[in-house]
Amino acid sequence: MMRKRILIIGAGAAGSSAAQALHQSGTDLEVTVIGAENLAPYNRTTVNKGLLSGAVDLENIILPGMDLPGYAWQLGTNVTALDPSTRTVELENGATIEADAVLLATGAEPRALTAAVDDGARSRVLRLRSAADTQRLRALTIANLPGHVVIAGAGLIGTETAAVLLEAGCQVTLTDPSPLPMRNHLGHTIAQWVATAHRTAGVDFRPATTITEIRAADEALLVSLAVGNSLHAAVVLASLGVTPATGWLEGSGIPLQAGRRPGAILVDQDQRVEGLSGMYAAGDAAAVPGLDGKPARIEHWGAAISQGRSAAAAILRDLHGEPSEVGSTQPLIPPATASYSTYVHGTKLTILGSPANGVREQFILGNLDSPRFALAFFDAEDRITGAVGVGGARAVNQLRSAIARRAHAAELETEASFEPVGGPQ
């Protein structure tokens, strides 16, 4: 019997975890993984932390277990077109590959600055998504201390990167278009705490500010801000979030999310692309159904790994018509209970669920003056949507089940003492 052919486009967390899961199934398959980077799969979460600081090198972050006998890896290769009706892709060199199942795991790409950048400054206006991006940033900053770095965007990546560069000896200015950093991720109260933490650590934090122009000025860059003043810097780093790397799919027939956060591939709860047989998507490029039925994108490493395994299980079920145990050891993480953590100048923050869907917040541990504190978030129906802990991960993780079932505040009050937070939400 001819072996089933599976094509995985994308060698990041979702694509590599799917390949690993397929191999672990023991099924005789012909699997090809195509990756745009000319590198073996690696832990991308380190690019603005350990890899940037120099605590680890590239060899340390290559993912283990990727030596999969019989699997073909085409790295440093871009896919330019897809015909989902025949599950055929075209590569940049003109070659085509047809498969019985195609997994789209192309990830996301950083948003570009909207500022005007002159040609002389362009080589020092960077982004930070890949190991190659890290090498460029290190070469222009840490390797040439002291240097001034202006970071546009105080989200997760911008905040973490600011701390690493500051610790390395750089002068850091952090701008953000919002009045408070990461308010959608963390809520009003903890966003205020983050702003204070930046300034206490020594970051020149400038909220409600955008960059309008960047020009070369002798050996430096002249960075103009919307508020009217300007800064001299060695490097400008754009850290304004990401968009799904799916532009090449427009017009292909693959359904893409519209609205406020467009571009993600619409899939069902098993990562099957809506309405297309043999097509799957996972990771940052996919939008999975939330508890309310609306598509939701989860831009985190753990979710990408989980979705990759879930996609592998669906592929095996669909190709062989029988249940598969692949993915059972690491179940799909629904958007309602997705969790991740970050560090703000040495303090760990744990985020669970969807704080952004809350309209009010309450302390569940300590207060702003405590070394550890945590808040829960509730929607208009007073049901819990998420929680954030500042050094208090245990208090947050105890609410995982409550968040998954959208428990009412009255139910939780029998288990914990909540202290309301004042101020605007």
mmCIF file of all heavy atoms in Angstrom, residues 331-368:
data_model
loop_
_atom_site.group_PDB
_atom_site.id
_atom_site.type_symbol
_atom_site.label_atom_id
_atom_site.label_comp_id
_atom_site.label_asym_id
_atom_site.label_seq_id
_atom_site.Cartn_x
_atom_site.Cartn_y
_atom_site.Cartn_z
ATOM 1 N N PRO A 331 -3.214 17.754 25.846
ATOM 2 C CA PRO A 331 -4.471 18.137 25.215
ATOM 3 C C PRO A 331 -4.453 19.562 24.711
ATOM 4 O O PRO A 331 -3.671 20.399 25.168
ATOM 5 C CB PRO A 331 -5.497 17.971 26.352
ATOM 6 C CG PRO A 331 -4.691 18.114 27.606
ATOM 7 C CD PRO A 331 -3.354 17.508 27.285
ATOM 8 N N LEU A 332 -5.342 19.821 23.770
ATOM 9 C CA LEU A 332 -5.467 21.160 23.209
ATOM 10 C C LEU A 332 -5.774 22.174 24.301
ATOM 11 O O LEU A 332 -6.589 21.929 25.183
ATOM 12 C CB LEU A 332 -6.579 21.175 22.164
ATOM 13 C CG LEU A 332 -6.897 22.528 21.512
ATOM 14 C CD1 LEU A 332 -5.713 22.978 20.670
ATOM 15 C CD2 LEU A 332 -8.155 22.432 20.684
ATOM 16 N N ILE A 333 -5.100 23.309 24.246
ATOM 17 C CA ILE A 333 -5.335 24.382 25.206
ATOM 18 C C ILE A 333 -6.384 25.314 24.627
ATOM 19 O O ILE A 333 -6.121 26.012 23.655
ATOM 20 C CB ILE A 333 -4.043 25.175 25.485
ATOM 21 C CG1 ILE A 333 -2.961 24.231 26.019
ATOM 22 C CG2 ILE A 333 -4.303 26.296 26.470
ATOM 23 C CD1 ILE A 333 -1.606 24.895 26.132
ATOM 24 N N PRO A 334 -7.608 25.332 25.186
ATOM 25 C CA PRO A 334 -8.617 26.258 24.655
ATOM 26 C C PRO A 334 -8.264 27.686 25.019
ATOM 27 O O PRO A 334 -7.578 27.932 26.009
ATOM 28 C CB PRO A 334 -9.907 25.806 25.358
ATOM 29 C CG PRO A 334 -9.448 25.169 26.620
ATOM 30 C CD PRO A 334 -8.114 24.536 26.307
ATOM 31 N N PRO A 335 -8.726 28.661 24.225
ATOM 32 C CA PRO A 335 -8.402 30.052 24.518
ATOM 33 C C PRO A 335 -8.793 30.470 25.925
ATOM 34 O O PRO A 335 -8.130 31.302 26.537
ATOM 35 C CB PRO A 335 -9.220 30.815 23.464
ATOM 36 C CG PRO A 335 -9.404 29.853 22.344
ATOM 37 C CD PRO A 335 -9.511 28.513 22.990
ATOM 38 N N ALA A 336 -9.876 29.898 26.465
ATOM 39 C CA ALA A 336 -10.359 30.312 27.778
ATOM 40 C C ALA A 336 -9.365 30.019 28.883
ATOM 41 O O ALA A 336 -9.332 30.703 29.904
ATOM 42 C CB ALA A 336 -11.688 29.621 28.085
ATOM 43 N N THR A 337 -8.545 28.975 28.714
ATOM 44 C CA THR A 337 -7.616 28.610 29.780
ATOM 45 C C THR A 337 -6.157 28.671 29.332
ATOM 46 O O THR A 337 -5.289 28.141 30.006
ATOM 47 C CB THR A 337 -7.928 27.187 30.303
ATOM 48 O OG1 THR A 337 -7.967 26.270 29.206
ATOM 49 C CG2 THR A 337 -9.264 27.169 31.016
ATOM 50 N N ALA A 338 -5.901 29.285 28.185
ATOM 51 C CA ALA A 338 -4.512 29.437 27.752
ATOM 52 C C ALA A 338 -3.734 30.200 28.816
ATOM 53 O O ALA A 338 -4.236 31.138 29.430
ATOM 54 C CB ALA A 338 -4.460 30.185 26.426
ATOM 55 N N SER A 339 -2.513 29.791 29.062
ATOM 56 C CA SER A 339 -1.708 30.473 30.076
ATOM 57 C C SER A 339 -0.294 30.682 29.563
ATOM 58 O O SER A 339 0.193 29.926 28.729
ATOM 59 C CB SER A 339 -1.677 29.664 31.377
ATOM 60 O OG SER A 339 -1.026 28.427 31.186
ATOM 61 N N TYR A 340 0.330 31.730 30.059
ATOM 62 C CA TYR A 340 1.715 32.006 29.717
ATOM 63 C C TYR A 340 2.289 32.878 30.815
ATOM 64 O O TYR A 340 1.570 33.366 31.703
ATOM 65 C CB TYR A 340 1.834 32.681 28.352
ATOM 66 C CG TYR A 340 1.079 33.982 28.225
ATOM 67 C CD1 TYR A 340 1.724 35.203 28.400
ATOM 68 C CD2 TYR A 340 -0.276 33.989 27.920
ATOM 69 C CE1 TYR A 340 1.039 36.396 28.280
ATOM 70 C CE2 TYR A 340 -0.965 35.174 27.794
ATOM 71 C CZ TYR A 340 -0.308 36.380 27.978
ATOM 72 O OH TYR A 340 -0.999 37.555 27.863
ATOM 73 N N SER A 341 3.587 33.052 30.768
ATOM 74 C CA SER A 341 4.246 33.878 31.780
ATOM 75 C C SER A 341 5.265 34.787 31.107
ATOM 76 O O SER A 341 5.708 34.535 29.984
ATOM 77 C CB SER A 341 4.921 33.010 32.841
ATOM 78 O OG SER A 341 5.941 32.212 32.263
ATOM 79 N N THR A 342 5.614 35.830 31.803
ATOM 80 C CA THR A 342 6.638 36.750 31.342
ATOM 81 C C THR A 342 7.326 37.336 32.560
ATOM 82 O O THR A 342 6.838 37.194 33.691
ATOM 83 C CB THR A 342 6.014 37.874 30.478
ATOM 84 O OG1 THR A 342 7.054 38.671 29.931
ATOM 85 C CG2 THR A 342 5.084 38.765 31.297
ATOM 86 N N TYR A 343 8.471 37.962 32.348
ATOM 87 C CA TYR A 343 9.187 38.621 33.433
ATOM 88 C C TYR A 343 9.254 40.111 33.160
ATOM 89 O O TYR A 343 9.552 40.537 32.043
ATOM 90 C CB TYR A 343 10.604 38.051 33.576
ATOM 91 C CG TYR A 343 10.641 36.719 34.299
ATOM 92 C CD1 TYR A 343 10.443 35.532 33.607
ATOM 93 C CD2 TYR A 343 10.859 36.663 35.675
ATOM 94 C CE1 TYR A 343 10.461 34.313 34.262
ATOM 95 C CE2 TYR A 343 10.882 35.446 36.342
ATOM 96 C CZ TYR A 343 10.683 34.283 35.631
ATOM 97 O OH TYR A 343 10.697 33.082 36.280
ATOM 98 N N VAL A 344 8.965 40.901 34.177
ATOM 99 C CA VAL A 344 9.083 42.357 34.102
ATOM 100 C C VAL A 344 10.170 42.765 35.084
ATOM 101 O O VAL A 344 9.965 42.781 36.292
ATOM 102 C CB VAL A 344 7.752 43.048 34.427
ATOM 103 C CG1 VAL A 344 7.929 44.564 34.442
ATOM 104 C CG2 VAL A 344 6.679 42.640 33.423
ATOM 105 N N HIS A 345 11.373 43.000 34.552
ATOM 106 C CA HIS A 345 12.526 43.404 35.366
ATOM 107 C C HIS A 345 12.716 42.482 36.580
ATOM 108 O O HIS A 345 12.862 42.934 37.718
ATOM 109 C CB HIS A 345 12.390 44.862 35.788
ATOM 110 C CG HIS A 345 12.289 45.790 34.613
ATOM 111 N ND1 HIS A 345 13.353 46.076 33.782
ATOM 112 C CD2 HIS A 345 11.225 46.464 34.103
ATOM 113 C CE1 HIS A 345 12.958 46.899 32.826
ATOM 114 N NE2 HIS A 345 11.674 47.144 32.989
ATOM 115 N N GLY A 346 12.688 41.185 36.303
ATOM 116 C CA GLY A 346 12.986 40.193 37.332
ATOM 117 C C GLY A 346 11.793 39.638 38.066
ATOM 118 O O GLY A 346 11.926 38.648 38.798
ATOM 119 N N THR A 347 10.618 40.213 37.919
ATOM 120 C CA THR A 347 9.415 39.714 38.585
ATOM 121 C C THR A 347 8.576 38.919 37.605
ATOM 122 O O THR A 347 8.251 39.407 36.519
ATOM 123 C CB THR A 347 8.575 40.868 39.157
ATOM 124 O OG1 THR A 347 9.348 41.585 40.126
ATOM 125 C CG2 THR A 347 7.309 40.345 39.826
ATOM 126 N N LYS A 348 8.204 37.700 37.992
ATOM 127 C CA LYS A 348 7.434 36.841 37.100
ATOM 128 C C LYS A 348 5.958 37.204 37.140
ATOM 129 O O LYS A 348 5.365 37.339 38.211
ATOM 130 C CB LYS A 348 7.606 35.371 37.498
ATOM 131 C CG LYS A 348 6.909 34.399 36.544
ATOM 132 C CD LYS A 348 7.159 32.953 36.947
ATOM 133 C CE LYS A 348 6.501 31.986 35.967
ATOM 134 N NZ LYS A 348 6.744 30.569 36.334
ATOM 135 N N LEU A 349 5.371 37.342 35.953
ATOM 136 C CA LEU A 349 3.933 37.527 35.809
ATOM 137 C C LEU A 349 3.345 36.283 35.172
ATOM 138 O O LEU A 349 3.890 35.771 34.191
ATOM 139 C CB LEU A 349 3.614 38.748 34.937
ATOM 140 C CG LEU A 349 3.531 40.109 35.632
ATOM 141 C CD1 LEU A 349 4.850 40.486 36.276
ATOM 142 C CD2 LEU A 349 3.078 41.182 34.643
ATOM 143 N N THR A 350 2.249 35.790 35.727
ATOM 144 C CA THR A 350 1.548 34.625 35.195
ATOM 145 C C THR A 350 0.178 35.064 34.721
ATOM 146 O O THR A 350 -0.591 35.649 35.495
ATOM 147 C CB THR A 350 1.408 33.533 36.268
ATOM 148 O OG1 THR A 350 2.709 33.177 36.751
ATOM 149 C CG2 THR A 350 0.727 32.304 35.700
ATOM 150 N N ILE A 351 -0.132 34.797 33.452
ATOM 151 C CA ILE A 351 -1.396 35.226 32.856
ATOM 152 C C ILE A 351 -2.187 33.993 32.462
ATOM 153 O O ILE A 351 -1.673 33.106 31.780
ATOM 154 C CB ILE A 351 -1.162 36.125 31.623
ATOM 155 C CG1 ILE A 351 -0.375 37.384 32.015
ATOM 156 C CG2 ILE A 351 -2.481 36.528 30.996
ATOM 157 C CD1 ILE A 351 1.114 37.268 31.788
ATOM 158 N N LEU A 352 -3.443 33.936 32.892
ATOM 159 C CA LEU A 352 -4.291 32.776 32.629
ATOM 160 C C LEU A 352 -5.627 33.252 32.056
ATOM 161 O O LEU A 352 -6.221 34.213 32.557
ATOM 162 C CB LEU A 352 -4.523 31.996 33.921
ATOM 163 C CG LEU A 352 -5.415 30.751 33.857
ATOM 164 C CD1 LEU A 352 -4.793 29.684 32.969
ATOM 165 C CD2 LEU A 352 -5.638 30.177 35.257
ATOM 166 N N GLY A 353 -6.093 32.591 31.005
ATOM 167 C CA GLY A 353 -7.379 32.938 30.420
ATOM 168 C C GLY A 353 -7.315 34.197 29.591
ATOM 169 O O GLY A 353 -6.314 34.479 28.926
ATOM 170 N N SER A 354 -8.372 34.996 29.639
ATOM 171 C CA SER A 354 -8.496 36.195 28.803
ATOM 172 C C SER A 354 -8.848 37.411 29.653
ATOM 173 O O SER A 354 -10.020 37.826 29.703
ATOM 174 C CB SER A 354 -9.575 35.980 27.729
ATOM 175 O OG SER A 354 -9.261 34.868 26.919
ATOM 176 N N PRO A 355 -7.868 38.004 30.321
ATOM 177 C CA PRO A 355 -8.147 39.222 31.084
ATOM 178 C C PRO A 355 -8.782 40.321 30.233
ATOM 179 O O PRO A 355 -9.574 41.121 30.736
ATOM 180 C CB PRO A 355 -6.762 39.636 31.592
ATOM 181 C CG PRO A 355 -5.995 38.360 31.667
ATOM 182 C CD PRO A 355 -6.473 37.562 30.488
ATOM 183 N N ALA A 356 -8.460 40.373 28.948
ATOM 184 C CA ALA A 356 -8.985 41.421 28.068
ATOM 185 C C ALA A 356 -10.505 41.382 27.965
ATOM 186 O O ALA A 356 -11.137 42.401 27.657
ATOM 187 C CB ALA A 356 -8.375 41.295 26.677
ATOM 188 N N ASN A 357 -11.114 40.220 28.230
ATOM 189 C CA ASN A 357 -12.568 40.100 28.140
ATOM 190 C C ASN A 357 -13.270 40.531 29.417
ATOM 191 O O ASN A 357 -14.493 40.494 29.501
ATOM 192 C CB ASN A 357 -12.961 38.657 27.808
ATOM 193 C CG ASN A 357 -12.547 38.263 26.405
ATOM 194 O OD1 ASN A 357 -12.381 39.113 25.537
ATOM 195 N ND2 ASN A 357 -12.344 36.978 26.174
ATOM 196 N N GLY A 358 -12.499 40.919 30.422
ATOM 197 C CA GLY A 358 -13.097 41.360 31.684
ATOM 198 C C GLY A 358 -13.457 42.833 31.665
ATOM 199 O O GLY A 358 -12.838 43.632 30.962
ATOM 200 N N VAL A 359 -14.486 43.200 32.433
ATOM 201 C CA VAL A 359 -14.874 44.608 32.565
ATOM 202 C C VAL A 359 -14.595 45.126 33.979
ATOM 203 O O VAL A 359 -14.713 46.322 34.230
ATOM 204 C CB VAL A 359 -16.362 44.814 32.219
ATOM 205 C CG1 VAL A 359 -16.626 44.450 30.769
ATOM 206 C CG2 VAL A 359 -17.261 44.011 33.148
ATOM 207 N N ARG A 360 -14.256 44.229 34.885
ATOM 208 C CA ARG A 360 -13.840 44.649 36.216
ATOM 209 C C ARG A 360 -12.816 43.656 36.742
ATOM 210 O O ARG A 360 -12.708 42.523 36.269
ATOM 211 C CB ARG A 360 -15.027 44.759 37.172
ATOM 212 C CG ARG A 360 -15.654 43.424 37.582
ATOM 213 C CD ARG A 360 -16.779 43.621 38.596
ATOM 214 N NE ARG A 360 -17.285 42.344 39.075
ATOM 215 C CZ ARG A 360 -16.788 41.696 40.134
ATOM 216 N NH1 ARG A 360 -15.773 42.225 40.808
ATOM 217 N NH2 ARG A 360 -17.299 40.541 40.511
ATOM 218 N N GLU A 361 -12.055 44.079 37.735
ATOM 219 C CA GLU A 361 -11.008 43.233 38.291
ATOM 220 C C GLU A 361 -11.017 43.294 39.814
ATOM 221 O O GLU A 361 -11.456 44.285 40.407
ATOM 222 C CB GLU A 361 -9.646 43.672 37.751
ATOM 223 C CG GLU A 361 -9.376 45.159 37.880
ATOM 224 C CD GLU A 361 -8.153 45.610 37.111
ATOM 225 O OE1 GLU A 361 -8.121 45.405 35.879
ATOM 226 O OE2 GLU A 361 -7.241 46.169 37.734
ATOM 227 N N GLN A 362 -10.560 42.201 40.426
ATOM 228 C CA GLN A 362 -10.549 42.102 41.886
ATOM 229 C C GLN A 362 -9.255 41.441 42.349
ATOM 230 O O GLN A 362 -8.774 40.495 41.726
ATOM 231 C CB GLN A 362 -11.734 41.264 42.385
ATOM 232 C CG GLN A 362 -13.092 41.907 42.165
ATOM 233 C CD GLN A 362 -14.205 41.009 42.666
ATOM 234 O OE1 GLN A 362 -14.181 39.808 42.439
ATOM 235 N NE2 GLN A 362 -15.181 41.589 43.342
ATOM 236 N N PHE A 363 -8.734 41.910 43.459
ATOM 237 C CA PHE A 363 -7.594 41.241 44.067
ATOM 238 C C PHE A 363 -8.023 39.879 44.596
ATOM 239 O O PHE A 363 -9.073 39.738 45.224
ATOM 240 C CB PHE A 363 -7.043 42.071 45.229
ATOM 241 C CG PHE A 363 -6.122 43.178 44.817
ATOM 242 C CD1 PHE A 363 -6.509 44.503 44.945
ATOM 243 C CD2 PHE A 363 -4.863 42.894 44.303
ATOM 244 C CE1 PHE A 363 -5.662 45.525 44.567
ATOM 245 C CE2 PHE A 363 -4.012 43.907 43.920
ATOM 246 C CZ PHE A 363 -4.413 45.230 44.050
ATOM 247 N N ILE A 364 -7.216 38.882 44.346
ATOM 248 C CA ILE A 364 -7.415 37.564 44.950
ATOM 249 C C ILE A 364 -6.229 37.189 45.829
ATOM 250 O O ILE A 364 -6.248 36.177 46.517
ATOM 251 C CB ILE A 364 -7.628 36.473 43.877
ATOM 252 C CG1 ILE A 364 -6.455 36.430 42.892
ATOM 253 C CG2 ILE A 364 -8.931 36.711 43.134
ATOM 254 C CD1 ILE A 364 -6.520 35.290 41.893
ATOM 255 N N LEU A 365 -5.191 38.023 45.774
ATOM 256 C CA LEU A 365 -4.024 37.822 46.640
ATOM 257 C C LEU A 365 -3.349 39.165 46.860
ATOM 258 O O LEU A 365 -3.017 39.864 45.897
ATOM 259 C CB LEU A 365 -3.038 36.845 45.987
ATOM 260 C CG LEU A 365 -1.689 36.654 46.716
ATOM 261 C CD1 LEU A 365 -1.900 35.914 48.036
ATOM 262 C CD2 LEU A 365 -0.701 35.901 45.829
ATOM 263 N N GLY A 366 -3.167 39.544 48.125
ATOM 264 C CA GLY A 366 -2.403 40.729 48.468
ATOM 265 C C GLY A 366 -2.983 42.011 47.914
ATOM 266 O O GLY A 366 -4.181 42.132 47.628
ATOM 267 N N ASN A 367 -2.106 43.003 47.729
ATOM 268 C CA ASN A 367 -2.480 44.294 47.150
ATOM 269 C C ASN A 367 -1.232 44.880 46.492
ATOM 270 O O ASN A 367 -0.177 44.239 46.454
ATOM 271 C CB ASN A 367 -3.037 45.227 48.230
ATOM 272 C CG ASN A 367 -2.088 45.382 49.402
ATOM 273 O OD1 ASN A 367 -0.920 45.748 49.232
ATOM 274 N ND2 ASN A 367 -2.568 45.112 50.615
ATOM 275 N N LEU A 368 -1.342 46.099 45.978
ATOM 276 C CA LEU A 368 -0.227 46.676 45.229
ATOM 277 C C LEU A 368 1.029 46.861 46.071
ATOM 278 O O LEU A 368 2.131 46.966 45.518
ATOM 279 C CB LEU A 368 -0.653 48.018 44.624
ATOM 280 C CG LEU A 368 -1.485 47.937 43.341
ATOM 281 C CD1 LEU A 368 -1.962 49.321 42.938
ATOM 282 C CD2 LEU A 368 -0.679 47.307 42.221
#
